[in-house]
Amino acid sequence: MNNKVEKVLEHFYESDVILVQHDAIVINENNKIIYESFAKHRKVKTGIIKNLIKNSYHGCCIAFKKELKKQILPIPNNIYLHDTWIGIIAELNGKTQFLDEKLIKYRRHLENVSSFKHLPLRKMINNRINYAKELLKYIKDRKK
């Protein structure tokens, strides 16, 4: 949307958040609405445990302050979704905020690399174990 950058910057200037995520309208290749609200469809919420179980952070809908780069990089190789890593690390280091405003049209089509479908259970569990290991390592290293 034309006002995306302006709206996101407002929240950085008016609060002490380090990461902002906005909502999106999900459309198909014919520009027809699939979901009126990506956030409602995904049940978006903050919380480290919540986001380890089911990710709320979505790369095309997030912006973060440059200071966060030092905390999130390098992103571990065995992390499945970089968005989850960025969101959880942001929560460990400050405040995150979800905006109800739909500031993009998120286009989904048959040839998307990512899917709205779940991975097989074994892979989902393995991914969560990897996140937990990497987060524990991150927390331990941060205390040094």
Side-chain angles (χ1 to χ4, degrees):
M1 307 302 178
N2 292 335
N3 62 345
K4 173 183 171 159
V5 173
E6 178 184 277
K7 288 288 185 177
V8 170
L9 285 175
E10 274 178 29
H11 289 275
F12 282 124
Y13 294 139
E14 294 173 2
S15 67
D16 58 347
V17 298
I18 59 171
L19 181 145
V20 172
Q21 176 166 301
H22 59 77
D23 199 356
I25 299 167
V26 183
I27 60 171
N28 68 13
E29 63 274 4
N30 298 317
N31 210 29
K32 292 195 177 186
I33 295 173
I34 301 171
Y35 301 112
E36 195 64 48
S37 168
F38 180 78
K40 286 182 183 161
H41 170 69
R42 294 285 301 166
K43 298 179 177 83
V44 167
K45 291 182 184 166
T46 59
I48 294 167
I49 301 299
K50 187 271 180 224
N51 281 285
L52 276 174
I53 295 167
K54 183 176 180 183
N55 181 42
S56 289
Y57 293 101
H58 200 60
C60 64
C61 296
I62 64 174
F64 55 85
K65 291 185 176 177
K66 68 181 177 181
E67 297 82 44
L68 189 59
K69 283 189 341 185
K70 294 176 203 164
Q71 303 300 321
I72 62 175
L73 295 175
I75 296 172
N77 290 331
N78 62 340
I79 292 299
Y80 177 65
L81 296 171
H82 67 280
D83 326 57
T84 307
W85 179 256
I86 293 168
I88 290 173
I89 297 301
E91 288 194 44
L92 285 170
N93 287 283
K95 283 176 45 179
T96 63
Q97 184 176 29
F98 287 103
L99 310 180
D100 289 332
E101 296 175 75
K102 297 166 188 82
L103 298 177
I104 66 167
K105 288 183 179 176
Y106 176 46
R107 188 169 153 248
R108 301 294 301 179
H109 52 82
L110 296 175
E111 295 184 30
N112 273 85
V113 173
S114 62
S115 171
F116 273 172
K117 296 180 180 172
H118 289 288
L119 295 171
L121 183 60
R122 174 182 239 156
K123 190 156 181 89
M124 287 172 49
I125 291 169
N126 190 48
N127 287 340
R128 271 54 172 200
I129 290 168
N130 287 341
Y131 278 110
K133 285 180 184 176
E134 292 297 337
L135 286 170
L136 289 172
K137 182 178 167 192
Y138 173 85
I139 291 166
K140 181 181 172 188
D141 290 347
R142 197 169 82 163
K143 289 182 181 181
K144 289 181 182 179

